[in-house]
Amino acid sequence: MRDGPLLTAPAVSAYTVPADAPEADGTFAWDTTTLCLVEVTAADATGTGWTYAPAAAVEVVREQLTPVLAGRDALDVPAAHDAMVKAVRNAGRPGLAACAVSAVDIALWDLKARLLGLPLARLLGTARDAVPVYGSGGFTTYHDTHLAAQLNGWVHGQRIPRVKIKVGESWGRAAARDLARVRTARQVIGGQAELYVDANGGYTRKQAVRVGRAFAEYGVGWFEEPVSSDDLTGLALVRDALVCDVTAGEYGYDLPYFARLVRAVDCVQVDATRCGGLTEWLRAAALAQAHGLEVSAHGAPHAHAAAAACVPNLRHVEWFHDHVRIESMFFDGALDPTGGEVRPDGGAGHGLTLRTLDVEEYRVA
């Protein structure tokens, strides 16, 4: 069998983009977001991948991953993924190293599809033509007018029939305001749209049960990270006590975490920019399906769209405000969520082209 084209050393860069307004969830506040970008080249094609992580992730790519990538067959993505995972063993895979592996893996799949002249979804094999999305934002720093404008834009402007807001403000110390914001959200979106909440681990176990029962009055059907995603016992307790679906998984950095998580949630969230790229995202989706669960892609919608179209147990992709804004700024070929779904079928690879000159002002590494 003929060998495929060989990889050159990855090119890496990092960009920090100011938020369009101060943002916070239940347990963290921020005013910038950093995107770490990887470009891998073989023959006359280049693939692009990224992760949302500190700029130090690019040094992990340079120091830990480049030595096991350069000169490798560009078509053998699983082999490259395995080599990267082994290379970061002593550095510690969960966290920053997993983000670095993820960005490279996404770039490798994009590269392979471009080398073969295929859309990435066609390379992987589709289970659906369109991928459902949900609008995600509703930060705890938003006043009611800002919150209403964002929700109106999604539901009544773009006709996205499902939206999510942040709750758990100040580590659960503002539950009355959480409830008031959920009430406002329901009033804005009307009775037909689905309403989700995300506490980012801000509540204690019993508090999450109490608050979750109050949210039920407003038709909240999705309660994300009511307690810490590391508290699997607590997640299961809350799941069994509430009618709404309890979800978590965005901080899963390897497959063994998801093997534990499936016993504690109603829907498994997986983030390809953290878990090990599309290679591991697809494995986590299969694991969820084996346990009768659906999977939801967390954040970075343009990194997920093609793979999301390829799994039969997909629930939806998160159309997260920060990441949508950045990806629309950084890439030509951004998807249109009007009607509540996207179609990842434009051009070779994931269909995106970096606006190199336009984004240079944000470069930090």
Side-chain angles (χ1 to χ4, degrees):
M1 185 176 69
R2 185 178 66 85
D3 291 334
L6 303 183
L7 294 170
T8 61
V12 292
S13 51
Y15 306 84
T16 295
V17 181
D20 56 0
E23 297 175 351
D25 55 35
T27 56
F28 193 69
W30 64 96
D31 56 15
T32 63
T33 298
T34 297
L35 177 146
C36 296
L37 189 86
V38 173
E39 296 170 284
V40 291
T41 300
D44 58 352
T46 297
T48 305
W50 64 97
T51 184
Y52 293 97
V58 302
E59 296 304 322
V60 177
V61 176
R62 288 192 182 109
E63 296 177 11
Q64 304 290 324
L65 304 183
T66 296
V68 301
L69 291 171
R72 186 175 289 276
D73 190 326
L75 300 182
D76 293 335
V77 181
H81 183 275
D82 187 54
M84 290 191 291
V85 169
K86 290 175 179 175
V88 298
R89 187 197 71 174
N90 287 354
R93 176 177 173 178
L96 198 63
C99 291
V101 170
S102 299
V104 176
D105 185 83
I106 292 167
L108 289 171
W109 280 109
D110 182 41
L111 172 63
K112 180 173 181 177
R114 291 175 191 268
L115 286 168
L116 298 176
L118 292 171
L120 180 54
R122 295 294 298 167
L123 173 66
L124 297 173
T126 59
R128 67 189 72 236
D129 294 328
V131 174
V133 302
Y134 69 90
S136 173
F139 304 108
T140 59
T141 43
Y142 284 2
H143 50 70
D144 284 354
T145 303
H146 193 162
L147 177 64
Q150 187 179 66
L151 295 174
N152 261 317
W154 286 325
V155 175
H156 305 300
Q158 295 179 302
R159 304 192 312 279
I160 300 174
R162 54 195 82 84
V163 293
K164 185 177 79 180
I165 70 169
K166 300 292 190 181
V167 295
E169 182 179 354
S170 301
W171 288 91
R173 298 185 182 92
R177 183 168 187 259
D178 291 338
L179 187 59
R181 293 177 67 251
V182 168
R183 183 186 308 116
T184 297
R186 176 52 73 190
Q187 290 170 349
V188 170
I189 67 176
Q192 299 304 308
E194 297 178 42
L195 179 57
Y196 304 163
V197 297
D198 181 2
N200 288 98
Y203 297 127
T204 62
R205 296 176 181 181
K206 289 295 183 68
Q207 182 186 26
V209 173
R210 293 192 297 270
V211 173
R213 287 174 175 164
F215 290 160
E217 180 182 347
Y218 302 100
V220 170
W222 167 284
F223 197 170
E224 184 175 329
E225 287 192 330
V227 297
S228 170
S229 56
D230 292 325
D231 182 10
L232 301 186
T233 301
L235 285 170
L237 183 153
V238 178
R239 176 200 61 191
D240 292 344
L242 297 179
V243 174
C244 66
D245 284 351
V246 167
T247 73
E250 66 185 79
Y251 294 109
Y253 292 106
D254 54 27
L255 204 57
Y257 172 81
F258 295 106
R260 299 188 297 271
L261 181 68
V262 291
R263 301 190 294 269
V265 296
D266 295 299
C267 182
V268 179
Q269 292 179 278
V270 192
D271 189 331
T273 72
R274 291 174 177 166
C275 73
L278 300 180
T279 299
E280 205 81 328
W281 193 92
L282 291 167
R283 293 169 180 169
L287 175 64
Q289 186 174 16
H291 288 81
L293 299 177
E294 291 180 316
V295 65
S296 176
H298 172 268
H302 291 89
H304 287 107
C310 302
V311 295
N313 60 320
L314 177 78
R315 183 173 298 194
H316 40 43
V317 171
E318 181 176 20
W319 198 253
F320 180 53
H321 173 72
D322 288 4
H323 296 176
V324 168
R325 176 172 168 263
I326 290 173
E327 290 164 15
S328 297
M329 292 168 59
F330 273 59
F331 300 107
D332 289 323
L335 299 168
D336 180 4
T338 300
E341 60 187 26
V342 294
R343 294 178 177 271
D345 54 7
H350 50 44
L352 303 178
T353 303
L354 180 67
R355 297 171 179 159
T356 306
L357 296 179
D358 292 349
V359 303
E360 189 63 28
E361 64 179 293
Y362 302 110
R363 185 163 179 167
V364 295

